[in-house]
Amino acid sequence: MITGGAGFLGRHLCARMLGAGVEVVCVDDLSTADDAQPRGLRELAGRPGFHVVEADVSRGIPVGVDIDAVFHLASPASPADYTAMPLHTLRTGSAGTEHALELAAARGARFVLASTSEVYGDPLQHPQPESYRGNVDPTGPRSMYDEAKRYAEALTVAYRRGHGVPTAIARIFNTYGPGMRAGDGRMIPTFVRQALHGAPVTVAGDGMQTRSLCYVDDTVRGLDLLARSDVAGPVNIGGPEELTVRAVAERVVAATGGRSAIHTVGASPDDPRRRRPEITLARSALGWSPEVSLDEGIERTVRWFAGRTDVPAAAASNPDSRQRAVETDIPAEVER
Ligand SMILES: NC(=O)c1ccc[n+]([C@@H]2O[C@H](COP(=O)([O-])OP(=O)(O)OC[C@H]3O[C@@H](n4cnc5c(N)ncnc54)[C@H](O)[C@@H]3O)[C@@H](O)[C@H]2O)c1
């Protein structure tokens, strides 16, 4: 079972599992869906062994079949989404995670939580090992997401210790690739969309804040390896190559073959200055490290977006008014 299976990471994980001959139950409420999501699901729906249950996991998970593993990915993940849906985000991380854990406990299934580097907040330790406890503002502008994930981690550990559920926690760092929503407000789709249209690429603040990016195939391979192991984690899954946001923008512009200028816009609240995972544990316990270089990953992503006819030139033309309202407040690359 993959909760959030209709989302960006979820669809890639569903495809990977189906490709390995594993039957998949995708549970999703399509709460952050645009028209790309149903289309992505329709593509998967043609494959044998794929089942979709439309449900909000915070209200319960109406799945009656046997389950070997639960990948719990359901949660708004883009700042535009979780800022627009703070209560939904908190309920999904709390009640939604508990429902997924209850189901894993009842079926004797392995449970993998998709946690996030956001649990480290604006880190005071660099790079971030799993032992770092984080620097999170519980009432800050990202608190609905950061605290929901921290609570979800605590729940996951409680079910392991108290109920013997074989749980695992993956702390996923910034992942990108084909299949992201063009208007979801995250850095890579925003930069790619702007560069493909020859528009200025907008970076927040001075653009010298850093991010470490991981290509989606590498991230879902990490989740798969974690599920098949007996590692409890938390385990960082992320790319260890650290780049400034400005450098990422330059690489995207180069990959499109365009000549977009890079413009700076207002710095975003609570935007972490530095992010880089320490991945020693993933290497030693899972034999995992990223395989797709940043240049290759950006090229594949640009190719995917360029092949689509429905990528709006500007986020403001996105028909989803919820995103439109938020994106005017949040600079382009505000994200994990
Ligand atoms: N993509 C990244 O860079 C990244 C980084 C760190 C952590 N993560 C985590 O990985 C998971 C997937 O992220 P993504 O990038 O694919 O996000 P996404 O927004 O593309 O997908 C999330 C999916 O969850 C579904 N969802 C949300 N609330 C739900 C609910 N209450 N019930 C059922 N479905 C619900 C949405 O409809 C969507 O299909 C999230 O938990 C996110 O926090 C992602």
Side-chain angles (χ1 to χ4, degrees), residues 74-88:
S75 170
S78 150
D81 291 333
Y82 60 69
T83 308
M85 299 187 287
L87 294 177
H88 175 86

Side-chain angles (χ1 to χ4, degrees), residues 108-272:
R110 174 78 160 144
F111 177 91
V112 175
L113 173 69
S115 186
T116 169
S117 57
E118 281 286 330
V119 300
Y120 300 125
D122 191 4
L124 304 175
Q125 186 173 335
H126 194 78
Q128 294 83 53
E130 291 84 353
S131 57
Y132 178 54
R133 293 179 188 179
N135 177 34
V136 173
D137 178 353
T139 59
R142 293 160 180 252
S143 58
M144 72 295 278
Y145 182 66
D146 300 3
E147 297 296 2
K149 289 290 185 182
R150 288 171 71 96
Y151 179 76
E153 287 200 8
L155 264 181
T156 301
V157 168
Y159 269 76
R160 183 178 188 87
R161 293 189 186 133
H163 299 279
V165 179
T167 64
I169 297 170
R171 288 189 182 148
I172 303 169
F173 282 63
N174 198 319
T175 298
Y176 71 100
M180 297 185 90
R181 281 177 289 136
D184 88 354
R186 290 189 262 190
M187 173 170 65
I188 292 287
T190 304
F191 289 174
V192 171
R193 188 191 66 225
Q194 291 169 328
L196 282 175
H197 286 89
V201 171
T202 52
V203 303
D206 59 5
M208 298 312 286
Q209 64 275 34
T210 65
R211 294 295 180 269
S212 304
L213 297 168
C214 193
Y215 188 67
V216 62
D217 288 0
D218 283 324
T219 298
V220 300
R221 181 170 49 84
L223 295 176
D224 188 358
L225 285 170
L226 181 57
R228 292 174 196 276
S229 77
D230 58 6
V231 173
V235 186
N236 287 339
I237 299 289
E241 188 190 350
E242 186 180 355
L243 282 177
T244 65
V245 166
R246 178 174 285 275
V248 174
E250 286 165 357
R251 293 214 193 178
V252 169
V253 172
T256 62
R259 290 199 297 212
S260 289
I262 294 177
H263 286 185
T264 54
V265 294
S268 48
D270 235 19
D271 196 16

Side-chain angles (χ1 to χ4, degrees), residues 8-9 28 37 56-57 73 92 145 149 175 186 336:
F8 163 54
L9 288 184
D28 202 296
Q37 253 168 330
D56 175 348
V57 296
L73 274 61
T92 301
Y145 182 66
K149 289 290 185 182
T175 298
R186 290 189 262 190
R336 282 165 310 281

